[in-house]
Amino acid sequence: MPPTERDPSRSSINAPTSYLSNVSNFKIIESTLREGEQFANAFFTTEKKIEIAKALDDFGVEYLELTSPAASTQSYNDCKAIVGLGLKAKILTHVRCHMDDARLAVETGVDGLDVVIGTSSYLREFSHGKDMQYIIDTATEVIQYIKGEGLEVRFSSEDSFRSDIVDLLNLYRAVDKLGVNRVGIADTVGCASPDQVAELVRTLRGVVSCDIECHFHNDTGCAIANAYAALQNGATHVDTSVLGIGERNGIPSLGGFIARMYAADKEHVKAKYNLPKLREIENIVADAVGVAVPFNNYITGYCAFTHKAGIHAKAILNNPSTYEILRPEDFGMTRYVAIGHRLTGWNAVKNRVDQLGLGLTDSDCKRVTNKIKNLADIRPLSLDDVDKLLRMYGQAMDTDSHHAILDSIDTPDQITGM
């Protein structure tokens, strides 16, 4: 493929492609209404849950995971309310491996149950206090009940990466034989690395025939990378939450995960999901939990498509793919080239001159750029400041006083006050 036709969202360094890879065949289990409720600031009213559920459904996620109906009376009622919306997404609820929880969840009318129990020595000793045989026996009872009700069932270990691998695989093998739709692995404390994830998922893929769901916490900053490594090695489903909210530092953010998958297979992601909806969803959730969307947030952050350095700006203006792996237009976003600072370049200034319809030559643009740099050593200029300066310079050209105008300005405040 000629260089001009290369997909700019793809790296030219090709990673080995495994026959196990599901990078172009994955499903999102969106857990804002379950994991997200565990975020420190989170409190979602029924109305807000419905708003979030509808927005995520419009975005196109395949599953919505809700807080266990056993958590509270309102949680039970909220499950029923969201089930009653008739959304395209399948509705799941996350429950303990316990018959009472399972029965209550089935009553709500959900499409499936995500069953979980701790398997690491830490959780077996300090949480539920049960041994592996008890876990297998209880899982068998709960899974058979759910399947008997005709619902989807996922069985997941908790704290998978600190669990004994032999215990873990024996458990997964047992539940796979029972016919679960998915088994789940959970990096509950965020300790895993992508290499460790790849190894466990590959091993698990050789043990079970069902789908594999992955749940990664972000305590050490690897959640999205771990999700991607999991898909590369045979996982099929990934848990996300809007803005990554959840217990402690949360899990893969929906936007960050989408950005990663877009870079892997842009056309697949564009076809599956309503990408321009992402900003609206994030604003809804950010407002609901009382936080701002971070300045460096994937895709929608203030700085995500802002370009500043002169050499970057010149290239971006010539071809945006030079410094953008994601196309802002695909997400309903726009790029911004900042020019009122000491790092600005004359190409960026010239672009603004053209936008304003001013008849400045390249030489004029370079002269004004030098003035902007000098003024910006005192403080950055706003776009209004830059526009005033450019217009004053352009108007003064009629009387041949444009050089004198520049020479008369020594501080940014002189422009602001005009």
Side-chain angles (χ1 to χ4, degrees):
M1 184 182 290
T4 54
E5 297 178 17
R6 184 184 300 128
D7 182 353
S9 67
R10 305 292 292 272
S11 171
S12 58
I13 302 172
N14 294 319
T17 301
S18 168
Y19 72 95
L20 297 173
S21 176
N22 285 309
V23 165
S24 297
N25 184 31
F26 61 89
K27 291 181 172 63
I28 293 174
I29 296 180
E30 224 303 316
S31 191
T32 300
L33 297 177
R34 197 282 293 179
E35 178 70 44
E37 276 214 286
Q38 296 172 220
F39 175 59
N41 286 6
F43 175 78
F44 300 134
T45 63
T46 301
E47 293 73 23
K48 185 58 65 176
K49 285 184 179 182
I50 288 172
E51 182 183 10
I52 293 169
K54 287 180 175 179
L56 288 167
D57 192 53
D58 287 345
F59 180 81
V61 299
E62 292 84 357
Y63 292 88
L64 294 174
E65 185 181 58
L66 310 182
T67 295
S68 170
S72 73
T73 301
Q74 195 57 53
S75 297
Y76 177 90
N77 292 336
D78 290 344
C79 268
K80 296 191 75 170
I82 291 173
V83 166
L85 296 175
L87 303 178
K88 298 183 294 295
K90 289 186 176 182
I91 309 301
L92 308 173
T93 187
H94 186 269
V95 299
R96 296 171 297 182
C97 188
H98 193 286
M99 284 299 296
D100 290 346
D101 286 20
R103 291 190 184 97
L104 202 60
V106 169
E107 288 178 8
T108 66
V110 293
D111 297 299
L113 277 66
D114 289 342
V115 179
V116 65
I117 191 167
T119 51
S120 71
S121 60
Y122 295 97
L123 297 183
R124 283 158 55 193
E125 180 177 356
F126 299 109
S127 181
H128 55 71
K130 309 300 183 183
D131 61 21
M132 288 304 299
Q133 189 57 53
Y134 174 91
I135 291 172
I136 291 174
D137 291 344
T138 305
T140 299
E141 181 185 16
V142 171
I143 290 166
Q144 289 178 336
Y145 167 71
I146 298 168
K147 285 181 60 63
E149 295 294 323
L151 302 183
E152 274 195 30
V153 57
R154 177 221 70 188
F155 181 86
S156 180
S157 60
E158 186 182 13
D159 204 8
S160 310
F161 288 86
R162 296 193 299 173
S163 299
D164 179 84
I165 186 64
V166 174
D167 287 343
L168 207 57
L169 296 179
N170 284 338
L171 175 61
Y172 286 134
R173 188 179 290 111
V175 299
D176 184 45
K177 289 179 179 177
L178 294 171
V180 295
N181 298 85
R182 299 182 302 284
V183 292
I185 62 172
D187 183 18
T188 306
V189 296
C191 66
S193 69
D195 286 347
Q196 292 168 326
V197 169
E199 180 66 23
L200 179 57
V201 174
R202 270 199 308 269
T203 302
L204 182 56
R205 184 70 286 168
V207 170
V208 301
S209 59
C210 62
D211 286 341
I212 300 173
E213 178 183 338
C214 293
H215 182 89
F216 297 109
H217 276 263
N218 203 36
D219 300 70
T220 58
C222 289
I224 293 172
N226 284 344
Y228 188 68
L231 291 176
Q232 286 181 307
N233 288 278
T236 54
H237 296 64
V238 170
D239 296 2
T240 69
S241 68
V242 177
L243 297 175
I245 62 171
E247 192 77 30
R248 303 184 315 282
N249 288 345
I251 64 172
S253 68
L254 175 62
F257 177 70
I258 286 293
R260 176 60 260 173
M261 302 317 297
Y262 175 103
D265 191 339
K266 177 173 64 179
E267 295 307 320
H268 179 66
V269 170
K270 287 171 62 179
K272 282 185 76 173
Y273 302 111
N274 180 9
L275 301 181
K277 187 77 176 179
L278 181 62
R279 178 165 57 173
E280 177 189 339
I281 297 169
E282 291 184 340
N283 287 338
I284 291 170
V285 173
D287 180 67
V289 299
V291 301
V293 174
F295 72 92
N296 61 342
N297 196 50
Y298 309 93
I299 301 170
T300 63
Y302 169 73
C303 293
F305 298 108
T306 296
H307 303 276
K308 184 174 179 180
I311 191 170
H312 284 233
K314 177 182 178 181
I316 279 288
L317 293 169
N318 287 330
N319 183 343
S321 295
T322 50
Y323 285 102
E324 288 178 350
I325 198 72
L326 312 174
R327 292 183 72 247
E329 301 91 337
D330 288 343
F331 301 90
M333 305 295 291
T334 56
R335 72 182 53 84
Y336 172 66
V337 177
I339 58 176
H341 53 86
R342 62 171 64 126
L343 305 180
T344 197
W346 75 270
N347 287 280
V349 174
K350 178 176 173 55
N351 180 69
R352 186 60 181 168
V353 166
D354 292 342
Q355 290 175 351
L356 296 174
L358 303 175
L360 275 62
T361 64
D362 287 357
S363 177
D364 290 323
C365 290
K366 290 175 182 178
R367 187 173 290 111
V368 177
T369 299
N370 286 334
K371 174 58 69 173
I372 291 171
K373 284 175 168 287
N374 290 336
L375 295 173
D377 270 339
I378 301 171
R379 69 160 172 81
L381 280 67
S382 68
L383 186 60
D384 284 345
D385 290 339
V386 172
D387 287 353
K388 282 183 182 178
L389 182 62
L390 292 172
R391 288 191 174 104
M392 283 190 299
Y393 186 90
Q395 291 167 2
M397 290 177 68
D398 294 339
T399 57
D400 203 29
S401 59
H402 46 299
H403 292 172
I405 284 287
L406 281 188
D407 292 340
S408 69
I409 298 173
D410 299 314
T411 70
D413 291 342
Q414 287 178 258
I415 303 173
T416 305
M418 291 179 176

